[in-house]
Coordinates of all heavy atoms in Angstrom, one line a residue:
M7 N 229.0 86.0 -38.1 CA 228.3 86.4 -36.9 C 229.1 86.2 -35.7 O 229.9 85.2 -35.5 CB 227.0 85.5 -36.8 CG 226.1 85.8 -35.7 SD 224.5 85.1 -36.0 CE 223.6 86.0 -34.9
N8 N 229.0 87.1 -34.7 CA 229.8 87.1 -33.5 C 229.2 86.1 -32.5 O 228.1 86.2 -32.2 CB 229.9 88.5 -33.0 CG 230.9 88.7 -31.8 OD1 231.3 87.7 -31.3 ND2 231.1 89.9 -31.5
N9 N 230.1 85.2 -32.0 CA 229.6 84.3 -31.0 C 230.0 84.6 -29.6 O 229.9 83.8 -28.7 CB 230.0 82.9 -31.3 CG 231.5 82.7 -31.2 OD1 232.3 83.7 -31.1 ND2 232.0 81.5 -31.1
V10 N 230.4 85.9 -29.3 CA 230.8 86.3 -28.0 C 229.5 86.6 -27.2 O 228.6 87.3 -27.7 CB 231.7 87.6 -28.1 CG1 232.0 88.1 -26.7 CG2 233.0 87.2 -28.8
K11 N 229.4 86.2 -26.0 CA 228.3 86.4 -25.1 C 228.0 87.9 -24.9 O 228.9 88.6 -24.6 CB 228.5 85.7 -23.8 CG 227.4 85.9 -22.8 CD 227.7 85.2 -21.5 CE 226.6 85.4 -20.5 NZ 227.0 84.9 -19.2
Q12 N 226.7 88.3 -25.0 CA 226.3 89.6 -24.6 C 226.5 89.8 -23.1 O 225.9 89.0 -22.4 CB 224.9 89.9 -25.1 CG 224.4 91.2 -24.8 CD 225.0 92.3 -25.6 OE1 225.5 92.1 -26.7 NE2 225.1 93.5 -25.1
L13 N 227.2 90.8 -22.7 CA 227.4 91.0 -21.3 C 226.2 91.6 -20.6 O 225.5 92.5 -21.2 CB 228.6 91.9 -21.0 CG 229.9 91.4 -21.6 CD1 231.0 92.4 -21.3 CD2 230.3 90.1 -20.9
G14 N 225.9 91.2 -19.4 CA 224.8 91.8 -18.6 C 225.3 93.0 -17.9 O 226.5 93.4 -18.1
K15 N 224.5 93.7 -17.1 CA 224.8 94.9 -16.5 C 226.1 94.8 -15.6 O 227.0 95.6 -15.7 CB 223.7 95.5 -15.7 CG 224.0 96.8 -15.0 CD 222.9 97.3 -14.1 CE 223.0 96.6 -12.7 NZ 222.3 97.3 -11.7
L16 N 226.1 93.8 -14.7 CA 227.2 93.6 -13.8 C 228.5 93.5 -14.6 O 229.5 94.1 -14.3 CB 227.0 92.4 -12.9 CG 226.0 92.6 -11.8 CD1 225.9 91.3 -11.0 CD2 226.4 93.7 -10.8
D17 N 228.6 92.5 -15.5 CA 229.8 92.3 -16.2 C 230.2 93.5 -17.2 O 231.3 93.8 -17.4 CB 229.7 91.0 -17.0 CG 229.7 89.8 -16.1 OD1 230.2 89.9 -14.9 OD2 229.2 88.7 -16.5
S18 N 229.1 94.2 -17.7 CA 229.4 95.3 -18.5 C 230.1 96.4 -17.7 O 231.1 97.1 -18.1 CB 228.1 95.9 -19.1 OG 228.3 97.1 -19.8
M19 N 229.6 96.6 -16.4 CA 230.3 97.6 -15.5 C 231.6 97.1 -15.1 O 232.6 97.9 -15.0 CB 229.4 97.9 -14.3 CG 228.1 98.7 -14.7 SD 228.4 100.3 -15.5 CE 229.2 101.2 -14.2
L20 N 231.8 95.8 -14.9 CA 233.1 95.3 -14.5 C 234.1 95.6 -15.7 O 235.2 96.1 -15.4 CB 233.1 93.8 -14.3 CG 234.5 93.2 -14.0 CD1 235.0 93.6 -12.6 CD2 234.4 91.7 -14.1
L21 N 233.7 95.4 -16.9 CA 234.5 95.7 -18.1 C 234.9 97.2 -18.0 O 236.1 97.6 -18.2 CB 233.8 95.4 -19.4 CG 234.6 95.7 -20.6 CD1 235.9 95.0 -20.7 CD2 233.7 95.3 -21.8
R22 N 234.0 98.1 -17.8 CA 234.3 99.5 -17.8 C 235.3 99.9 -16.7 O 236.2 100.6 -16.9 CB 233.0 100.3 -17.6 CG 232.1 100.3 -18.8 CD 230.8 101.1 -18.5 NE 230.0 101.1 -19.7 CZ 230.2 101.9 -20.7 NH1 231.2 102.7 -20.7 NH2 229.4 101.9 -21.8
F23 N 235.1 99.3 -15.5 CA 236.0 99.6 -14.4 C 237.4 99.0 -14.7 O 238.4 99.6 -14.3 CB 235.5 99.0 -13.1 CG 234.4 99.9 -12.4 CD1 233.1 99.4 -12.3 CD2 234.6 101.2 -12.0 CE1 232.1 100.2 -11.7 CE2 233.7 102.0 -11.5 CZ 232.4 101.5 -11.3
S24 N 237.4 97.8 -15.4 CA 238.7 97.2 -15.7 C 239.5 98.0 -16.7 O 240.7 97.9 -16.8 CB 238.5 95.8 -16.2 OG 238.0 95.8 -17.6
L25 N 238.8 98.9 -17.4 CA 239.5 99.8 -18.4 C 240.0 101.1 -17.7 O 240.5 102.0 -18.3 CB 238.5 100.1 -19.5 CG 238.1 99.0 -20.4 CD1 237.0 99.4 -21.4 CD2 239.3 98.4 -21.1
G26 N 239.8 101.2 -16.4 CA 240.2 102.3 -15.6 C 239.2 103.4 -15.5 O 239.5 104.5 -14.9
E27 N 238.0 103.2 -15.9 CA 236.9 104.2 -15.8 C 236.6 104.4 -14.3 O 236.7 103.4 -13.5 CB 235.7 103.8 -16.5 CG 235.9 103.8 -18.0 CD 234.6 103.5 -18.8 OE1 233.5 103.6 -18.2 OE2 234.7 103.1 -20.0
R28 N 236.2 105.6 -13.9 CA 235.7 105.9 -12.6 C 234.3 106.4 -12.7 O 234.0 107.2 -13.7 CB 236.6 107.0 -12.0 CG 238.0 106.6 -11.8 CD 238.9 107.7 -11.3 NE 240.2 107.3 -11.0 CZ 240.9 107.5 -9.9 NH1 240.4 108.3 -9.0 NH2 242.1 107.0 -9.7
H29 N 233.4 106.0 -11.8 CA 232.0 106.3 -12.0 C 231.4 106.7 -10.6 O 231.8 106.2 -9.6 CB 231.2 105.2 -12.6 CG 231.4 105.0 -14.0 ND1 230.9 105.8 -15.0 CD2 232.2 104.1 -14.7 CE1 231.3 105.4 -16.2 NE2 232.1 104.3 -16.0
H30 N 230.5 107.7 -10.7 CA 229.6 107.9 -9.6 C 228.2 107.7 -10.1 O 228.0 107.4 -11.3 CB 229.8 109.3 -9.0 CG 229.7 110.5 -10.0 ND1 228.5 110.8 -10.6 CD2 230.6 111.3 -10.4 CE1 228.7 111.9 -11.4 NE2 230.0 112.2 -11.3
R31 N 227.2 107.9 -9.3 CA 225.8 107.5 -9.7 C 225.3 108.2 -10.9 O 224.6 107.6 -11.7 CB 224.9 107.7 -8.5 CG 224.7 109.2 -8.2 CD 223.7 109.4 -7.0 NE 222.4 108.9 -7.5 CZ 221.3 108.8 -6.7 NH1 221.5 109.1 -5.4 NH2 220.2 108.4 -7.2
F32 N 225.8 109.4 -11.2 CA 225.2 110.1 -12.4 C 226.0 109.7 -13.7 O 225.3 109.6 -14.7 CB 225.3 111.6 -12.2 CG 224.4 112.0 -11.0 CD1 225.0 112.6 -9.9 CD2 223.1 111.8 -11.0 CE1 224.2 113.0 -8.8 CE2 222.3 112.1 -9.9 CZ 222.9 112.7 -8.8
T33 N 227.3 109.5 -13.6 CA 228.0 109.0 -14.8 C 227.6 107.6 -15.1 O 227.5 107.2 -16.3 CB 229.5 109.1 -14.6 OG1 229.9 108.3 -13.5 CG2 230.0 110.5 -14.4
A34 N 227.3 106.8 -14.1 CA 226.9 105.4 -14.3 C 225.5 105.3 -15.0 O 225.2 104.4 -15.8 CB 226.8 104.6 -13.0
E35 N 224.6 106.3 -14.6 CA 223.3 106.3 -15.3 C 223.5 106.5 -16.8 O 222.7 105.9 -17.6 CB 222.4 107.4 -14.7 CG 221.9 107.0 -13.4 CD 220.9 108.1 -12.8 OE1 220.7 109.1 -13.5 OE2 220.5 107.9 -11.7
G36 N 224.5 107.2 -17.2 CA 224.7 107.5 -18.6 C 225.1 106.2 -19.4 O 225.0 106.2 -20.6
V37 N 225.6 105.2 -18.7 CA 226.0 104.0 -19.3 C 225.0 102.8 -18.9 O 225.3 101.6 -19.1 CB 227.4 103.6 -19.1 CG1 228.3 104.6 -19.7 CG2 227.7 103.4 -17.6
G38 N 223.9 103.2 -18.4 CA 222.8 102.2 -18.2 C 222.7 101.6 -16.8 O 222.0 100.6 -16.6
D39 N 223.5 102.1 -15.8 CA 223.4 101.5 -14.5 C 222.8 102.6 -13.5 O 223.4 103.6 -13.3 CB 224.8 101.2 -13.9 CG 224.8 100.4 -12.6 OD1 223.8 100.6 -11.9 OD2 225.7 99.7 -12.4
H40 N 221.6 102.3 -13.1 CA 220.8 103.2 -12.2 C 221.0 102.9 -10.8 O 220.3 103.6 -9.9 CB 219.4 103.2 -12.7 CG 219.2 103.6 -14.1 ND1 219.3 104.9 -14.6 CD2 219.0 102.8 -15.2 CE1 219.2 104.9 -15.9 NE2 219.0 103.7 -16.3
T41 N 221.7 101.9 -10.4 CA 221.9 101.5 -9.0 C 223.4 101.2 -8.8 O 223.7 100.1 -8.4 CB 221.0 100.4 -8.5 OG1 221.3 99.3 -9.4 CG2 219.5 100.7 -8.6
L42 N 224.3 102.1 -9.0 CA 225.7 101.9 -9.0 C 226.2 101.3 -7.6 O 227.0 100.4 -7.6 CB 226.5 103.1 -9.3 CG 228.0 103.0 -9.3 CD1 228.4 102.0 -10.4 CD2 228.7 104.3 -9.5
H43 N 225.7 101.8 -6.5 CA 226.1 101.3 -5.2 C 225.8 99.8 -5.1 O 226.6 99.1 -4.5 CB 225.5 102.1 -4.1 CG 224.0 102.0 -4.0 ND1 223.2 102.6 -4.9 CD2 223.2 101.3 -3.2 CE1 221.9 102.3 -4.6 NE2 221.9 101.5 -3.6
S44 N 224.7 99.4 -5.6 CA 224.4 97.9 -5.6 C 225.2 97.1 -6.5 O 225.7 96.0 -6.2 CB 222.9 97.7 -5.9 OG 222.1 98.2 -4.9
T45 N 225.5 97.7 -7.7 CA 226.4 97.0 -8.6 C 227.8 96.8 -8.0 O 228.4 95.8 -8.2 CB 226.5 97.9 -9.9 OG1 225.2 98.0 -10.5 CG2 227.4 97.2 -10.9
V46 N 228.3 97.9 -7.4 CA 229.7 97.8 -6.8 C 229.6 96.7 -5.7 O 230.5 95.8 -5.6 CB 230.1 99.1 -6.2 CG1 231.3 99.0 -5.3 CG2 230.4 100.1 -7.4
S47 N 228.6 96.7 -4.9 CA 228.5 95.7 -3.8 C 228.4 94.3 -4.4 O 229.1 93.3 -4.0 CB 227.3 95.9 -3.0 OG 227.1 94.9 -2.0
D48 N 227.6 94.1 -5.5 CA 227.5 92.8 -6.1 C 228.8 92.3 -6.8 O 229.2 91.2 -6.7 CB 226.4 92.8 -7.2 CG 225.0 92.9 -6.6 OD1 224.8 92.7 -5.4 OD2 224.1 93.2 -7.3
L49 N 229.5 93.3 -7.4 CA 230.8 92.9 -8.0 C 231.8 92.5 -7.0 O 232.6 91.6 -7.2 CB 231.3 94.1 -8.9 CG 230.6 94.3 -10.2 CD1 231.0 95.6 -10.9 CD2 230.7 93.1 -11.2
Q50 N 231.8 93.2 -5.9 CA 232.8 92.9 -4.8 C 232.5 91.5 -4.3 O 233.4 90.7 -4.1 CB 232.7 93.9 -3.6 CG 233.3 95.2 -4.0 CD 233.3 96.2 -2.9 OE1 234.2 97.1 -2.8 NE2 232.3 96.2 -2.0
K51 N 231.2 91.2 -4.1 CA 230.9 89.8 -3.6 C 231.1 88.7 -4.6 O 231.6 87.6 -4.2 CB 229.4 89.8 -3.2 CG 229.1 90.6 -2.0 CD 227.6 90.7 -1.7 CE 227.2 91.7 -0.6 NZ 225.7 91.8 -0.5
R52 N 230.8 89.0 -5.8 CA 230.9 88.0 -6.9 C 232.4 87.6 -7.2 O 232.7 86.5 -7.4 CB 230.2 88.4 -8.2 CG 230.3 87.4 -9.3 CD 229.6 87.8 -10.5 NE 228.2 87.7 -10.4 CZ 227.3 88.0 -11.4 NH1 227.7 88.4 -12.5 NH2 226.0 87.9 -11.1
Y53 N 233.2 88.7 -7.3 CA 234.6 88.5 -7.8 C 235.7 88.7 -6.8 O 236.8 88.5 -7.1 CB 234.8 89.4 -9.0 CG 233.9 89.0 -10.2 CD1 233.0 89.9 -10.7 CD2 234.0 87.8 -10.8 CE1 232.2 89.6 -11.8 CE2 233.2 87.5 -11.9 CZ 232.3 88.4 -12.4 OH 231.5 88.0 -13.4
G54 N 235.3 89.1 -5.6 CA 236.3 89.3 -4.5 C 237.3 90.5 -4.8 O 238.5 90.4 -4.5
I55 N 236.7 91.5 -5.5 CA 237.6 92.7 -5.8 C 237.0 93.9 -4.9 O 235.9 93.9 -4.5 CB 237.5 93.1 -7.2 CG1 236.0 93.3 -7.7 CG2 238.2 92.1 -8.1 CD1 235.9 93.7 -9.2
Y56 N 237.9 94.8 -4.5 CA 237.5 95.9 -3.7 C 237.6 97.2 -4.5 O 238.6 97.4 -5.2 CB 238.4 96.0 -2.5 CG 238.1 97.2 -1.6 CD1 237.0 97.2 -0.7 CD2 238.8 98.4 -1.7 CE1 236.7 98.3 0.0 CE2 238.5 99.5 -1.0 CZ 237.4 99.4 -0.1 OH 237.1 100.5 0.7
F57 N 236.6 98.0 -4.4 CA 236.6 99.3 -5.1 C 237.1 100.4 -4.2 O 236.6 100.5 -3.1 CB 235.1 99.6 -5.5 CG 234.7 98.8 -6.7 CD1 234.3 97.5 -6.6 CD2 234.7 99.4 -8.0 CE1 233.9 96.8 -7.7 CE2 234.3 98.7 -9.1 CZ 233.9 97.4 -9.0
A58 N 238.0 101.2 -4.7 CA 238.4 102.4 -4.1 C 237.2 103.4 -4.2 O 236.4 103.3 -5.1 CB 239.7 103.0 -4.7
R59 N 237.1 104.3 -3.3 CA 235.9 105.2 -3.3 C 236.3 106.5 -2.6 O 237.1 106.5 -1.7 CB 234.7 104.5 -2.7 CG 235.0 104.1 -1.3 CD 234.0 103.1 -0.8 NE 234.3 101.8 -1.3 CZ 233.4 100.8 -1.4 NH1 232.2 100.9 -1.0 NH2 233.8 99.6 -1.9
E60 N 235.6 107.5 -3.0 CA 235.7 108.8 -2.3 C 234.5 109.6 -2.6 O 233.8 109.5 -3.6 CB 236.9 109.6 -2.8 CG 236.8 110.1 -4.2 CD 238.0 110.9 -4.7 OE1 238.8 111.3 -3.9 OE2 238.1 111.1 -5.9
W61 N 234.2 110.5 -1.7 CA 233.1 111.5 -1.8 C 233.5 112.6 -2.8 O 234.7 113.1 -2.6 CB 232.6 112.1 -0.5 CG 231.9 111.2 0.4 CD1 232.4 110.5 1.5 CD2 230.5 110.7 0.2 NE1 231.4 109.7 2.0 CE2 230.2 109.8 1.3 CE3 229.5 111.1 -0.7 CZ2 229.0 109.3 1.4 CZ3 228.3 110.5 -0.6 CH2 228.0 109.6 0.5
V62 N 232.7 113.0 -3.7 CA 233.0 114.1 -4.6 C 231.7 114.9 -4.7 O 230.6 114.5 -4.5 CB 233.4 113.6 -6.1 CG1 234.7 112.8 -6.0 CG2 232.3 112.8 -6.7
E63 N 231.9 116.2 -5.0 CA 230.8 117.1 -5.2 C 230.6 117.3 -6.7 O 231.5 117.5 -7.5 CB 231.1 118.5 -4.6 CG 230.9 118.5 -3.1 CD 230.8 119.8 -2.5 OE1 230.6 120.8 -3.2 OE2 230.9 119.9 -1.2
V64 N 229.3 117.2 -7.1 CA 229.0 117.4 -8.5 C 227.9 118.4 -8.6 O 227.1 118.6 -7.7 CB 228.5 116.0 -9.2 CG1 229.7 115.0 -9.2 CG2 227.3 115.5 -8.5
P65 N 227.8 119.1 -9.7 CA 226.8 120.1 -9.9 C 225.4 119.5 -10.1 O 225.3 118.4 -10.6 CB 227.2 120.9 -11.2 CG 228.1 120.0 -11.9 CD 228.7 119.1 -10.9
T66 N 224.4 120.2 -9.6 CA 223.0 119.8 -9.8 C 222.4 120.6 -11.0 O 223.0 121.7 -11.3 CB 222.1 120.0 -8.6 OG1 222.0 121.4 -8.3 CG2 222.7 119.3 -7.4
R67 N 221.3 120.2 -11.5 CA 220.7 121.0 -12.5 C 220.0 122.3 -12.0 O 219.5 123.1 -12.8 CB 219.7 120.2 -13.3 CG 218.5 119.6 -12.5 CD 217.6 118.8 -13.3 NE 216.6 118.3 -12.5 CZ 215.6 117.6 -12.9 NH1 215.5 117.3 -14.2 NH2 214.6 117.2 -12.1
F68 N 220.0 122.4 -10.7 CA 219.4 123.6 -10.1 C 220.4 124.6 -9.6 O 220.1 125.6 -8.9 CB 218.6 123.2 -8.9 CG 217.6 122.1 -9.2 CD1 217.7 120.8 -8.8 CD2 216.5 122.4 -10.0 CE1 216.8 119.8 -9.1 CE2 215.5 121.4 -10.3 CZ 215.7 120.1 -9.9
G69 N 221.7 124.5 -10.1 CA 222.7 125.4 -9.8 C 223.5 125.2 -8.5 O 224.4 126.0 -8.2
G70 N 223.1 124.2 -7.7 CA 223.9 123.9 -6.5 C 224.8 122.7 -6.8 O 225.2 122.4 -7.9
T71 N 225.2 122.1 -5.7 CA 226.1 120.9 -5.8 C 225.5 119.8 -4.8 O 224.8 120.1 -3.9 CB 227.5 121.2 -5.4 OG1 227.6 121.6 -4.0 CG2 228.2 122.2 -6.3
T72 N 225.9 118.6 -5.1 CA 225.5 117.5 -4.2 C 226.7 116.6 -4.1 O 227.6 116.5 -5.0 CB 224.3 116.7 -4.7 OG1 223.9 115.8 -3.7 CG2 224.5 116.0 -6.0
R73 N 226.8 115.8 -3.0 CA 227.9 114.9 -2.8 C 227.5 113.5 -3.2 O 226.4 113.1 -2.9 CB 228.3 114.9 -1.3 CG 229.0 116.1 -0.9 CD 229.4 116.1 0.6 NE 230.0 114.8 0.8 CZ 230.7 114.5 1.9 NH1 230.8 115.3 2.9 NH2 231.2 113.3 2.1
V74 N 228.4 112.8 -3.9 CA 228.1 111.4 -4.4 C 229.4 110.7 -4.2 O 230.5 111.2 -4.1 CB 227.7 111.4 -5.8 CG1 226.3 112.0 -6.0 CG2 228.7 112.0 -6.8
K75 N 229.3 109.4 -4.1 CA 230.5 108.5 -4.0 C 230.9 108.1 -5.4 O 230.2 107.7 -6.2 CB 230.1 107.2 -3.2 CG 231.2 106.4 -2.7 CD 231.9 107.0 -1.5 CE 231.1 106.8 -0.3 NZ 231.9 106.7 0.9
K76 N 232.3 108.3 -5.6 CA 232.9 107.9 -6.9 C 233.6 106.6 -6.6 O 234.3 106.5 -5.6 CB 233.8 109.0 -7.4 CG 234.5 108.6 -8.7 CD 235.4 109.7 -9.1 CE 234.7 110.6 -10.1 NZ 235.6 111.6 -10.7
Y77 N 233.5 105.6 -7.5 CA 234.2 104.3 -7.4 C 235.1 104.0 -8.5 O 234.9 104.5 -9.7 CB 233.1 103.2 -7.4 CG 232.0 103.3 -6.4 CD1 230.9 104.0 -6.6 CD2 232.2 102.7 -5.1 CE1 229.9 104.1 -5.6 CE2 231.2 102.8 -4.1 CZ 230.1 103.5 -4.4 OH 229.1 103.5 -3.4
W78 N 236.2 103.3 -8.2 CA 237.2 102.9 -9.2 C 238.0 101.7 -8.7 O 237.9 101.4 -7.5 CB 238.1 104.0 -9.7 CG 239.0 104.5 -8.6 CD1 240.3 104.1 -8.5 CD2 238.8 105.4 -7.6 NE1 240.9 104.7 -7.4 CE2 240.0 105.6 -6.8 CE3 237.7 106.2 -7.2 CZ2 240.1 106.4 -5.8 CZ3 237.8 107.0 -6.2 CH2 239.0 107.1 -5.4
L79 N 238.7 101.1 -9.6 CA 239.6 99.9 -9.2 C 241.0 100.4 -9.3 O 241.4 101.1 -10.2 CB 239.3 98.7 -10.1 CG 237.9 98.1 -9.9 CD1 237.7 97.1 -11.0 CD2 237.8 97.4 -8.6
E80 N 241.9 99.9 -8.4 CA 243.3 100.1 -8.5 C 244.1 98.9 -8.0 O 243.6 98.0 -7.3 CB 243.6 101.4 -7.7 CG 243.3 101.4 -6.3 CD 243.5 102.8 -5.6 OE1 243.6 103.8 -6.3 OE2 243.5 102.8 -4.4
G81 N 245.4 98.9 -8.4 CA 246.3 97.9 -7.9 C 245.9 96.5 -8.2 O 245.4 96.3 -9.4
E82 N 246.0 95.6 -7.3 CA 245.7 94.2 -7.5 C 244.3 94.0 -7.9 O 243.9 93.0 -8.6 CB 246.1 93.3 -6.3 CG 245.3 93.6 -5.1 CD 245.7 92.9 -3.8 OE1 246.9 93.2 -3.4 OE2 245.0 92.0 -3.4
H83 N 243.4 94.8 -7.4 CA 242.0 94.6 -7.7 C 241.7 95.0 -9.2 O 240.8 94.4 -9.8 CB 241.1 95.5 -6.8 CG 241.3 95.0 -5.4 ND1 240.8 93.9 -4.8 CD2 242.0 95.6 -4.4 CE1 241.2 93.8 -3.6 NE2 242.0 94.8 -3.3
L84 N 242.4 96.0 -9.7 CA 242.2 96.4 -11.1 C 242.8 95.3 -12.0 O 242.2 94.9 -13.0 CB 243.0 97.7 -11.4 CG 243.0 98.2 -12.8 CD1 241.7 98.3 -13.4 CD2 243.8 99.5 -12.9
E85 N 243.9 94.7 -11.6 CA 244.5 93.7 -12.3 C 243.6 92.4 -12.4 O 243.5 91.8 -13.4 CB 245.9 93.3 -11.8 CG 246.9 94.4 -11.9 CD 248.2 94.2 -11.2 OE1 248.4 93.1 -10.6 OE2 249.1 95.1 -11.1
K86 N 243.0 92.1 -11.2 CA 242.1 91.0 -11.2 C 240.9 91.2 -12.1 O 240.5 90.3 -12.8 CB 241.7 90.7 -9.7 CG 240.8 89.5 -9.6 CD 240.5 89.2 -8.1 CE 239.7 87.9 -8.0 NZ 239.5 87.6 -6.6
A87 N 240.4 92.4 -12.0 CA 239.2 92.7 -12.9 C 239.6 92.7 -14.3 O 238.8 92.2 -15.2 CB 238.7 94.1 -12.5
Q88 N 240.8 93.0 -14.7 CA 241.2 93.0 -16.1 C 241.3 91.5 -16.6 O 240.9 91.2 -17.7 CB 242.6 93.7 -16.3 CG 242.4 95.2 -16.1 CD 243.8 95.9 -16.0 OE1 244.8 95.3 -15.7 NE2 243.8 97.2 -16.3
R89 N 241.8 90.6 -15.7 CA 241.8 89.2 -16.1 C 240.4 88.6 -16.2 O 240.1 87.9 -17.1 CB 242.6 88.4 -15.0 CG 244.1 88.7 -15.0 CD 244.8 87.7 -14.1 NE 244.4 87.7 -12.7 CZ 244.9 88.5 -11.8 NH1 245.8 89.4 -12.1 NH2 244.4 88.4 -10.5
I90 N 239.5 89.0 -15.3 CA 238.1 88.5 -15.4 C 237.4 89.0 -16.6 O 236.8 88.3 -17.3 CB 237.3 88.9 -14.1 CG1 237.9 88.3 -12.9 CG2 235.9 88.6 -14.3 CD1 237.5 88.8 -11.6
A91 N 237.6 90.3 -16.9 CA 237.0 90.9 -18.1 C 237.5 90.3 -19.4 O 236.7 90.0 -20.3 CB 237.3 92.4 -18.1
A92 N 238.8 90.0 -19.4 CA 239.3 89.3 -20.6 C 238.7 87.9 -20.8 O 238.3 87.6 -22.0 CB 240.8 89.1 -20.5
A93 N 238.5 87.2 -19.7 CA 237.8 85.9 -19.8 C 236.3 86.0 -20.2 O 235.8 85.3 -21.0 CB 237.9 85.2 -18.5
L94 N 235.7 87.1 -19.7 CA 234.3 87.3 -20.0 C 234.1 87.6 -21.5 O 233.1 87.2 -22.2 CB 233.7 88.4 -19.2 CG 233.5 88.1 -17.7 CD1 233.1 89.4 -17.0 CD2 232.4 87.1 -17.5
K95 N 235.0 88.4 -22.1 CA 234.9 88.8 -23.5 C 235.1 87.6 -24.4 O 234.6 87.6 -25.5 CB 235.9 89.9 -23.8 CG 235.5 91.2 -23.2 CD 236.3 92.4 -23.7 CE 237.7 92.3 -23.3 NZ 238.5 93.5 -23.7
E96 N 235.8 86.6 -24.0 CA 236.1 85.4 -24.8 C 235.1 84.3 -24.6 O 235.1 83.4 -25.4 CB 237.5 84.9 -24.5 CG 238.6 85.9 -24.8 CD 240.0 85.4 -24.4 OE1 240.1 84.3 -23.9 OE2 240.9 86.2 -24.6
K97 N 234.2 84.4 -23.7 CA 233.3 83.4 -23.4 C 232.2 83.3 -24.5 O 231.5 84.2 -24.8 CB 232.6 83.6 -22.1 CG 231.7 82.5 -21.6 CD 231.2 82.8 -20.2 CE 230.4 81.6 -19.7 NZ 229.8 81.9 -18.3
P98 N 232.1 82.1 -25.2 CA 231.2 82.0 -26.3 C 229.8 81.8 -25.8 O 229.6 81.4 -24.7 CB 231.7 80.8 -27.1 CG 232.4 79.9 -26.0 CD 233.0 80.9 -25.1
T99 N 228.8 82.2 -26.7 CA 227.4 81.9 -26.3 C 227.1 80.5 -26.5 O 227.8 79.7 -27.2 CB 226.5 82.8 -27.2 OG1 226.7 82.5 -28.6 CG2 226.7 84.3 -27.0
K100 N 226.0 80.0 -25.9 CA 225.6 78.6 -26.1 C 224.9 78.5 -27.5 O 224.1 79.4 -27.9 CB 224.6 78.2 -25.0 CG 225.2 78.2 -23.7 CD 224.2 77.8 -22.6 CE 224.9 77.8 -21.2 NZ 224.0 77.5 -20.2
A101 N 225.2 77.5 -28.2 CA 224.7 77.3 -29.5 C 223.2 76.8 -29.5 O 222.7 76.3 -28.6 CB 225.5 76.3 -30.3

């Protein structure tokens, strides 16, 4: 039986970003995060990491486009997130 702690939403998203993933609100919904802007804000406050961001246009289901913010980690912030994620994956559950 695996004794590794099940990650919550914040730490699960931190793990994804630490792997180099980039997300905007619609891609984040596909992995279970329906409030990405709040998740990014919470991760920045909790871990002292800064997310790079840019506006991108994505297609809508109605044939148009909409602008959303895309977030990712780079440089020292990506490295810090990778160290945190490694520690989170190794943290055992309470017996």
Side-chain angles (χ1 to χ4, degrees):
M7 184 165 197
N8 190 345
N9 68 341
V10 176
K11 178 182 177 184
Q12 181 69 28
L13 298 178
K15 180 185 83 163
L16 285 178
D17 292 334
S18 176
M19 289 304 291
L20 177 71
L21 177 60
R22 291 179 176 283
F23 284 116
S24 76
L25 295 172
E27 292 184 19
R28 295 174 177 229
H29 286 282
H30 56 68
R31 65 180 296 171
F32 300 117
T33 59
E35 284 183 3
V37 295
D39 189 332
H40 301 285
T41 57
L42 181 62
H43 62 287
S44 294
T45 300
V46 167
S47 176
D48 290 345
L49 287 171
Q50 288 183 147
K51 290 175 189 171
R52 179 181 286 185
Y53 295 118
I55 54 179
Y56 178 79
F57 283 79
R59 59 198 77 202
E60 70 178 345
W61 286 104
V62 296
E63 285 196 11
V64 296
T66 68
R67 62 183 179 173
F68 306 108
T71 61
T72 189
R73 289 180 48 168
V74 295
K75 193 76 75 149
K76 182 181 264 187
Y77 300 92
W78 68 94
L79 294 168
E80 58 189 15
E82 66 186 65
H83 301 285
L84 175 58
E85 292 169 7
K86 184 174 183 179
Q88 290 168 338
R89 290 191 302 272
I90 295 166
L94 288 170
K95 289 191 292 186
E96 295 175 4
K97 189 175 182 180
T99 58
K100 294 179 182 177

